[in-house]
Amino acid sequence: MKTTTRGQTGLAIPVLVLVSGLVAIAGAFLGSGAIVGTPIQDAAGGWLSADSTPLAPASPAFRIWSVIYLGLFAYSIWQLLPAQRRSDRHRVLRPWAAAAMLLNAAWIWVVQAGWLAASLLVIVVLLAVLIRILFILMHTRAENAADAIITDGTFGLYLGWITVATIANTAAVLGAAGFSGFGLSVPLLASVVLAVAAVIGVVQAWRTGGRIAPALALAWGLAWIAVGRVDGGLESTGTAIAAAICSAAVLLAAVVLWLKSRRPRAKLAD
């Protein structure tokens, strides 16, 4: 799909995207407990805290949300501008972007209500929406550097982080349900899950020509799982080592594939 421009689209859907962005940010305040609501780590019985399961990232990992929310707000404004309102790329992307932002707010509200199992359903749907967004971005071209940073960068980070969050959310639901791991040791089972996450990250990097943003967020989350298992309430050296290796593998694969994807362009330029 090539990026083309047509007549300027109406304001209804762009404004809907803007409202969705504001709803997502409002949800963030609710989830932080800064003004109203319960902090996520204390909601839903505390099963989403940094020490709840062996696959929970350490608390500093969640600082990435500040970058993601800033990017979502920037995109909400960016897609309103006339050039983006004429863009087929953003015309296709807008409904999915709005859905991603509303689902994020819905996840926070569900967790606030204490519905842990329902939160897993919401985050899985959110992950599917973000994967769809990735395919749209893969098959359309960023119109300029600003579009690449605001659009591709934001939704790439969002996808990578939600991949980690889905893993942590799944572990929380299973833990709350009393899942024993089929008799396998906790470090072994955690390492298997982390390896699957790494494979997903590597395959994603391969399919996207080494897109850095999704890999960076995924590697960030895996690295903080490693930190959490070294310095936290659920220490596990084996899990920490596995998470660190998986984090490095995802990031290295993305960098190598990104460099490889740039070589033909460099030769053509010569």
Side-chain angles (χ1 to χ4, degrees):
M1 184 190 300
K2 295 181 180 179
T3 300
T4 58
T5 57
R6 296 178 180 175
Q8 187 164 287
T9 189
L11 275 172
I13 296 180
V15 169
L16 173 63
V17 174
L18 175 61
V19 171
S20 300
L22 295 175
V23 169
I25 292 171
F29 280 105
L30 181 67
S32 69
I35 301 175
V36 294
T38 304
I40 292 297
Q41 64 268 21
D42 298 327
W47 279 103
L48 296 169
S49 68
D51 296 327
S52 60
T53 72
L55 294 174
S59 296
F62 298 91
R63 293 172 184 166
I64 194 175
W65 273 121
S66 298
V67 180
I68 293 172
Y69 282 126
L70 179 61
L72 291 176
F73 180 70
Y75 177 76
S76 299
I77 301 298
W78 174 254
Q79 57 86 36
L80 272 173
L81 300 179
Q84 281 61 254
R85 286 170 55 199
R86 292 191 297 268
S87 168
D88 276 357
R89 178 182 222 227
H90 292 281
R91 177 183 58 80
V92 175
L93 181 59
R94 280 189 188 94
W96 297 98
M101 291 186 278
L102 292 175
L103 282 165
N104 187 81
W107 182 87
I108 292 174
W109 294 333
V110 166
V111 170
Q112 291 287 309
W115 301 335
L116 187 60
S119 73
L120 178 58
L121 175 61
V122 174
I123 204 169
V124 167
V125 175
L126 173 56
L127 180 62
V129 168
L130 289 170
I131 291 171
R132 172 58 182 157
I133 287 174
L134 177 65
F135 275 98
I136 293 172
L137 298 179
M138 283 170 56
H139 292 94
T140 58
R141 183 178 300 174
E143 295 162 2
N144 47 49
D147 193 31
I149 293 170
I150 295 173
T151 306
D152 299 70
T154 295
F155 288 103
L157 289 176
Y158 198 2
L159 172 60
W161 175 248
I162 290 299
T163 302
V164 175
T166 302
I167 293 169
N169 205 152
T170 302
V173 170
L174 292 175
F179 177 66
S180 60
F182 304 113
L184 298 174
S185 68
V186 171
L188 176 59
L189 187 61
S191 297
V192 170
V193 174
L194 291 167
V196 171
V199 170
I200 292 172
V202 171
V203 170
Q204 184 181 93
W206 170 59
R207 289 294 304 274
T208 64
R211 284 184 176 246
I212 297 298
L216 187 62
L218 178 55
W220 167 273
L222 293 174
W224 282 107
I225 290 176
V227 173
R229 301 294 74 78
V230 172
D231 183 19
L234 288 177
E235 295 185 6
S236 171
T237 302
T239 303
I241 293 172
I245 292 173
C246 290
S247 174
V250 169
L251 194 55
L252 179 62
V255 170
V256 169
L257 288 166
W258 182 83
L259 291 173
K260 183 178 180 181
S261 71
R262 294 310 184 268
R263 287 177 185 171
R265 295 182 184 180
K267 289 180 180 179
L268 286 174
D270 293 340

